[in-house]
Amino acid sequence: MPLSAEVITPARPAAQRALPLSSEVTTPGRMRLAVLIDTSPDRRLAFHRWANDPEVCVPRSPFGHGGGAVVCISGVILRRPDARAPREDRATAAMRKIALADGELQPLFGVHDENLQHLETALDIKVSARDREVFLEGEEQGVEIAAKVLTELGRLISRGYSLEENDFRTAVRMAQDSPAISLERFFTDHGIQTARDRLVRAQGTNQRLYIEAIRTHDIVFAIGPAGTGKTYLAMAMAIETLNRRAARRIILARPALEAGEKLGFLPGDMFEKVNPYLRPLYDALYELVGVDRANRLIERGHIEIAPIAFMRGRTLSDSVVILDEAQNTTAEQMKMFLTRIGMNSTAVITGDVTQIDLPNGRLSGLVEASRLLRGIRGISFVKFDQRDVVRHPLVQEIISAYERDEQTKRSAKEAADRLVPAEGELERASSSVEVGDE
């Protein structure tokens, strides 16, 4: 069956018929609109129109191969109803049997087999267990990841490692992100020691890259959605640095900006006025080192928490400086902050460019810095996405839903912007043809 598209032209909204992928559509003014659908594997659509010649419309580039898509923008509907997935994308069935030791079963399976159920959900495979054997069935990639998780975590347990609450889910996510990673080495890494009884471990590949970037770079930008551990891990690394006496102090800064609402004038002195904006930093600090020690460090000046506006005129040497919610800094504030960094200091800038609360028309300092500073030696950029979210599982789904909506809106706007010039040319050409006929 040949590939086809359904086209409704802006000039004739009621006209609809099946057309080949590379087609000519005649408008009432006898002008032809050549439509080429780019069916490249990444599902992008390209619309090419040539209105200069009323008789000949030849596509300038061949269309590719692969998947199809549906788009409805500015009255033009293009669709491949018979599109099929590329051959290389089709799932390949596989089966594996994993034998486990008696002492490995309960920690690996979890309470009421919740870990096996998570394998089925996360990897879209079928998991069943009988005696000491686990049977995996499904797409080859998912089966291999499940086998890797069960086998390597089983070896860890046999060597005396005790799985913590979220270790199994972390292992699955790590194996999905980096199939070649050694889960045994990852979980035996000592992590970040923030207090005698508190150990912080990375919960995914990007978090590991983030920690390594902070250890090896002077300035690190962490950009991604909420709940990915950007600020929490930065503070954990800062406290570890302070404990090793590799820095004299920690400075935590944040813009004093409301999230979409005006709170008016707040009562109290300067500290009481800015304290509500800095509360998230206090919460993370208390969790990492405990309330008593955190308060002692603040009283002695080893930890300073302040709005970014108080940074002007200072030189921050022998410090770990963390700028949180950097998407709400202006371009001027970001430049001011980055030029405060002194000798033997590390700066970590975190933010989510999808949650900018600046007034309309103001450029985010984080967005501008991302554009200007990439490629400079000593500066690292780490990108997080919804897979790195370590909050409630629904948070991942919420972030994904918003990202899909934003992507749809961007695609619609871009396609509409491309359609406007072509529609204008068609209207002018139609008008000239009608005048000629008269």
Side-chain angles (χ1 to χ4, degrees), residues 9-10 23-27 31-35 48-49 57 422 426:
T9 67
S23 308
E24 294 179 358
V25 181
T26 303
T27 64
M31 181 58 66
R32 291 173 179 173
L33 172 66
V35 179
H48 304 283
R49 282 155 297 276
C57 295
L426 284 174

Side-chain angles (χ1 to χ4, degrees), residues 112-325:
H112 303 304
D113 294 342
E114 63 179 357
N115 290 340
L116 299 186
Q117 295 172 15
H118 178 67
L119 279 180
E120 289 186 322
T121 303
L123 303 176
D124 194 21
I125 62 174
K126 182 179 179 181
V127 181
S128 59
R130 186 168 60 247
D131 296 331
R132 294 186 297 105
E133 295 178 332
V134 178
F135 299 88
L136 310 172
E137 181 179 357
E139 185 180 351
E140 184 176 4
Q141 183 180 13
V143 167
E144 291 300 321
I145 291 174
K148 174 185 180 68
V149 170
L150 293 173
T151 301
E152 296 195 24
L153 289 187
R155 284 201 294 262
L156 273 174
I157 294 170
S158 66
R159 287 160 43 191
Y161 181 83
S162 178
L163 286 183
E164 298 180 2
E165 182 179 0
N166 293 319
D167 281 353
F168 191 89
R169 291 174 180 264
T170 299
V172 174
R173 185 164 61 248
M174 292 290 295
Q176 285 179 294
D177 293 343
S178 303
I181 195 171
S182 170
L183 296 177
E184 296 178 71
R185 186 166 61 249
F186 173 77
F187 283 103
T188 53
D189 183 12
H190 294 300
I192 307 169
Q193 193 81 43
T194 61
R196 187 172 302 174
D197 59 343
R198 288 175 171 83
L199 183 66
V200 178
R201 284 198 180 97
Q203 299 294 306
T205 302
N206 286 334
Q207 289 195 358
R208 287 192 68 185
L209 295 174
Y210 183 35
I211 292 173
E212 188 63 24
I214 295 174
R215 287 173 173 161
T216 56
H217 293 77
D218 293 329
I219 299 177
V220 178
F221 287 83
I223 303 174
T228 51
K230 304 183 299 294
T231 304
Y232 190 81
L233 288 175
M235 292 184 65
M237 289 293 296
I239 292 169
E240 183 189 60
T241 304
L242 188 65
N243 291 341
R244 292 189 287 106
R245 292 180 169 81
R248 290 190 298 107
R249 59 182 172 174
I250 299 171
I251 299 175
L252 308 175
R254 208 170 191 257
L257 187 68
E258 298 97 340
E261 58 181 338
K262 297 298 182 182
L263 301 179
F265 293 100
L266 298 176
D269 57 20
M270 181 193 67
F271 177 80
E272 292 172 327
K273 289 178 183 295
V274 302
N275 189 57
Y277 301 102
L278 307 176
R279 177 52 53 184
L281 298 178
Y282 283 102
D283 292 341
L285 183 60
Y286 292 156
E287 184 175 342
L288 287 168
V289 299
V291 176
D292 293 338
R293 183 168 182 241
N295 289 333
R296 287 197 303 271
L297 291 172
I298 293 173
E299 290 171 2
R300 295 170 184 173
H302 295 302
I303 296 180
E304 178 183 342
I305 303 179
I308 189 174
F310 295 175
M311 298 292 106
R312 186 175 296 278
R314 303 180 63 182
T315 300
L316 308 176
S317 301
D318 297 311
S319 306
V320 179
V321 190
I322 300 173
L323 174 58
D324 190 32
E325 297 290 331

